[in-house]
Amino acid sequence: ISRDRAEAARAAAATAEAEAAALADRVRAAGAEKDALQAEIAKARATLDRLRQDTEAATRMRDQARAEADTAMADGRARAATLVEEARAMAEEREQAAEARVAGLEARATRLAADIEAARRLLPDASQTGTGTSGPETPAAAAVMAPSPPAPGARPAYRAGPAPSGDAVARAVAAAPGLQEASPAERAELERLLGEGMCAPDALRTVFGGINRQTLVSLIRGLGRC
């Protein structure tokens, strides 16, 4: 019996190590994506600065054109002012579009940083799973959610793209381990949040007050990463 328990413990430890390695790979990939996003944000900011300079130059041109138009004919003044105003309006539109892009990139980078932090918090749990030899784990114990409180003032993260379909959410929840002991109301609430596009870590934390690592990995496998 002791040898069987030892074999089971070694198998559980190997599984936990493999899962921890997969999580670590995800953290590294997410970190690389975050770095790329930060580079893109820097590039967008540089574009925004150039556009602001263009706007200022257009304003100076407008003032100069108005000064020159004072000595010209009425039609010439009107034409010059119209052309300069059109150029200034175009520059302002481009500036606004660049500002919106920077804001979107920064929001995406913030969500990615939150996902990275959530994955890093899971790694210590994964490395310790399966090290005990006191006996086999019961289904009730496997369903326990590890406490993972959100940061003060943090809001739940949502997908940047379209939310998954109701059928996809139902299949992912049905296949996820650790939810067998959840009540119908809890499962329904989890499906609702996932269907609205809430990221799996925050959806689990909202419904259960914590995150079951195996449940999270299964949901991400079924629905994709935010």
Side-chain angles (χ1 to χ4, degrees):
I1 294 177
S2 298
R3 183 166 52 188
D4 292 341
R5 288 183 177 177
E7 290 295 332
R10 283 194 293 271
T15 300
E17 290 176 355
E19 290 174 348
L23 283 173
D25 290 340
R26 286 178 50 213
V27 168
R28 287 191 293 271
E33 185 178 355
K34 179 183 177 183
D35 292 341
L37 279 174
Q38 290 176 339
E40 190 172 0
I41 289 173
K43 183 178 179 181
R45 285 188 179 278
T47 301
L48 179 60
D49 291 339
R50 289 196 300 271
L51 289 174
R52 285 173 175 167
Q53 293 174 1
D54 291 344
T55 301
E56 294 173 356
T59 301
R60 289 193 298 270
M61 290 175 58
R62 179 195 61 187
D63 295 339
Q64 181 180 358
R66 284 177 175 173
E68 294 174 353
D70 289 338
T71 61
M73 296 177 62
D75 291 343
R77 291 199 304 268
R79 179 61 178 168
T82 299
L83 290 175
V84 173
E85 286 295 337
E86 289 176 352
R88 184 172 183 274
M90 290 177 61
E92 288 177 345
E93 290 177 358
R94 292 174 63 190
E95 177 183 344
Q96 292 173 358
E99 288 176 342
R101 177 168 176 76
V102 168
L105 290 172
E106 288 178 339
R108 185 179 175 190
T110 299
R111 290 194 298 270
L112 183 59
D115 288 346
I116 292 173
E117 184 60 28
R120 284 174 176 167
R121 288 198 300 269
L122 293 176
L123 283 176
D125 294 337
S127 64
Q128 297 173 8
T129 301
T131 58
T133 59
S134 60
E137 187 181 50
T138 64
V144 172
M145 296 292 170
S148 181
R155 296 182 178 179
Y158 285 82
R159 294 177 179 273
S165 66
D167 291 340
V169 170
R171 287 194 300 269
V173 171
L179 296 179
Q180 292 77 8
E181 301 297 326
S183 68
E186 290 173 332
R187 292 169 66 92
E189 178 66 7
L190 179 62
E191 291 184 8
R192 183 185 70 80
L193 294 177
L194 293 173
E196 292 177 353
M198 184 180 291
C199 295
D202 286 334
L204 288 172
R205 190 182 294 112
T206 299
V207 176
F208 300 105
I211 297 176
N212 180 301
R213 177 180 53 78
Q214 294 180 350
T215 304
L216 175 61
V217 171
S218 179
L219 289 177
I220 292 177
R221 185 181 300 114
L223 300 177
R225 179 174 57 83
C226 281

